[in-house]
Amino acid sequence: MIPYWISLAAAISTSLLGQVLLKAGAVAEGGFLSQLFRWQTIIGLGAYGGAALLYIVALRRIPMSVALPCTAASYVVIAAVGHFAFGEVLGPTKLAALALISLGVVLLATA
């Protein structure tokens, strides 16, 4: 069972990497087509594809009712990345929401 949890963690991490790369590709100058063909965007989309493959492996043994909510852990990490790397605001309401998401992920993962 442990390899499937490792696959789920890798899927979440790979998806996070893809998200950061897509954001990096989006904040540069230029229109949509130039954004689409930036190396960050292309690698970010590839990371999403890899994350999907890892997620499929995880679903072989982890119930979908547990695996999908566990991916919500990425919301917490990506909010921190957005704040520190891209200057996005994390106010009290967002922090409270992230705490609730974290609690839900922990409860489901241990169910």
Side-chain angles (χ1 to χ4, degrees):
M1 189 71 159
I2 289 177
Y4 299 99
W5 282 101
I6 291 171
S7 180
L8 180 61
I12 293 168
S13 300
T14 305
S15 175
L16 281 168
L17 173 65
Q19 194 65 235
V20 171
L21 287 169
L22 290 177
K23 176 67 175 183
V27 296
E29 296 293 320
F32 175 73
L33 284 179
S34 63
Q35 174 188 347
L36 188 61
F37 292 106
R38 284 192 186 98
W39 69 267
Q40 296 98 327
T41 304
I42 293 168
I43 294 173
L45 290 171
Y48 268 143
L53 294 174
L54 290 164
Y55 187 68
I56 290 167
V57 171
L59 287 176
R60 294 184 72 196
R61 295 288 183 267
I62 300 172
M64 188 169 49
S65 61
V66 174
L68 185 60
C70 284
T71 65
S74 68
Y75 301 159
V76 177
V77 176
I78 208 65
V81 171
H83 177 71
F84 292 111
F86 298 105
E88 297 176 0
V89 178
L90 276 180
T93 304
K94 284 184 183 177
L95 291 172
L98 293 170
L100 289 172
I101 290 170
S102 299
L103 178 62
V105 169
V106 169
L107 288 173
L108 275 170
T110 58

